[in-house]
Amino acid sequence: QLMILGLAANLELRHLPLGVYDLDRSEHSRAFAERFFHDEYFTPAHPIEKDAEIDRRLQRGAIGAALVIPHGFERDLVRGRSPRVLFVSDGSESTTSMIAVQYAGRIARSYGAAPTDAATSDGATTDRPPSLARSPSTAARLVPEIRIWYNPTLESRYFMVPGILALVLLVITMVLTSVAVVKEKERGTLEQLIVSPLSTGQIVLGKLLPFAGVGFIDVLLVLAVARAVFVVPVSGSLLLLLALSSVFVLTTLGLGLLISTVAETQQQAMMTAVFFVMLPMIFLSGFVFPIKNMPQPVQWLTYLLPLRYYFTIIRGIFLRGVGLEILWPSAAALTAYGLAVLGASVLRFRKHLE
């Protein structure tokens, strides 16, 4: 855990996919766009050709930000005017968005600065176009216009409250299920159920359905508190959110049942759930640290965590207002993961009973 979480705990911005919408298509506009990729902060995505592509690609997660260079960029820059450029950032990832805005503003302000400005106050070197460097009297400055979509004010509660919904469901359904079943084994009441006329399937349902109901009630409670207390709106479909939350609950129930077949005591069940499942999920799912900042092997590891897909779903519905046409990859992955885990845990539990 120290090795994996130490690599994952990174708040620096690295290789954020940036889409460039160059309306000027000039030498200076290309040079300015290239300036964003000189460091490791941004990585070039496929160029944007239409206005509507910005929103669509942000919603799909294909890009984390977009740079829009307007018509007349080169003309204004050469004449010593201060051209305005637009930088659009995805505010649903508030931490990443805040850092990206800072980097983008620094790059824009340093580009085209006067030749005497060898470096900015924060240590960024200037990148003056060759044609401007030959005109010392020209002191054109770029004016970046920052727009943050889906969370314009970068309110942290918009980022945290949907995540807390996932954590509440994880704790309630997984931890309590594993501890409750192990408690039955410790007391010997599970053996009494085995010799009863109940089938194995009925025993499994009897153990899972109560916590599934509690989890669903928790979803409604968190949604009510998020709306009434924290004023976090649900921009997308509430029914879709409830449906996909039910899929996540089935997944966590399966994990809890699987843990109960391994642990022999309640303490073992609690430690297994917290140490081997909860902590890795919390740190590697994107709730605390952006997944894009993690090393590539750790990023591959995150695909094994159902919480990663659920975070994508709830932030997409809460903040971006997208539907199943955008979220279907995450929904399909979460469903497949849930069915596999639940099926394996039921089979193992049945074998354990027999």
Side-chain angles (χ1 to χ4, degrees), residues 31 50 57 90 185 277 306 341:
K50 299 179 181 179
R57 291 171 68 176
D90 180 5
K185 291 195 295 184
V277 181
V341 170

Side-chain angles (χ1 to χ4, degrees), residues 109-345:
R109 286 189 295 270
S110 67
Y111 185 88
T116 55
D117 296 335
T120 59
S121 59
D122 51 9
T125 57
T126 59
D127 187 7
R128 191 168 178 77
S131 60
L132 297 183
R134 294 193 295 268
S135 304
S137 60
T138 304
R141 296 276 189 171
L142 290 178
V143 181
E145 182 178 342
I146 307 296
R147 293 184 185 176
I148 301 173
W149 289 3
Y150 316 127
N151 184 9
T153 57
L154 287 178
E155 294 283 348
S156 59
R157 65 178 184 270
Y158 283 20
F159 178 79
M160 296 297 293
V161 171
I164 292 173
L165 167 61
L167 297 184
V168 167
L169 289 179
L170 184 65
V171 172
I172 293 296
T173 55
M174 184 187 68
V175 176
L176 292 187
T177 299
S178 60
V179 171
V181 175
V182 173
K183 185 179 179 179
E184 295 274 6
K185 291 195 295 184
E186 285 184 329
R187 291 185 172 183
T189 53
L190 196 58
E191 284 74 10
Q192 297 177 13
L193 291 175
I194 295 175
V195 298
S196 70
L198 294 174
S199 65
T200 304
Q202 290 173 327
I203 295 175
V204 172
L205 284 177
K207 297 304 177 186
L208 296 186
L209 285 180
F211 295 106
V214 171
F216 192 78
I217 293 173
D218 281 336
V219 173
L220 298 179
L221 288 175
V222 171
L223 289 176
V225 173
R227 187 70 183 92
V229 179
F230 296 102
V231 198
V232 178
V234 180
S235 302
S237 170
L238 181 60
L239 290 178
L240 179 62
L241 178 61
L242 294 176
L244 295 180
S245 295
S246 300
V247 176
F248 179 69
V249 167
L250 290 178
T251 304
T252 53
L253 288 173
L255 287 173
L257 187 61
L258 188 62
I259 292 172
S260 70
T261 63
V262 176
E264 296 297 331
T265 65
Q266 296 181 61
Q267 289 79 7
Q268 288 181 1
M270 179 67 72
M271 289 300 298
T272 302
V274 172
F275 191 78
F276 291 103
V277 181
M278 283 186 58
L279 284 180
M281 280 197 187
I282 291 172
F283 284 104
L284 301 181
S285 61
F287 176 64
V288 180
F289 307 106
I291 294 177
K292 296 183 180 68
N293 293 0
M294 301 177 188
Q296 194 64 48
V298 180
Q299 292 188 32
W300 294 333
L301 182 62
T302 62
Y303 287 104
L304 300 176
L305 306 178
L307 200 58
R308 171 194 172 126
Y309 305 111
Y310 189 56
F311 275 142
T312 301
I313 290 169
I314 58 179
R315 285 172 182 162
I317 296 176
F318 262 94
L319 302 178
R320 298 174 184 169
V322 298
L324 200 57
E325 71 281 357
I326 300 292
L327 299 174
W328 71 265
S330 296
L334 182 62
T335 303
Y337 191 100
L339 292 176
V341 170
L342 187 61
S345 61

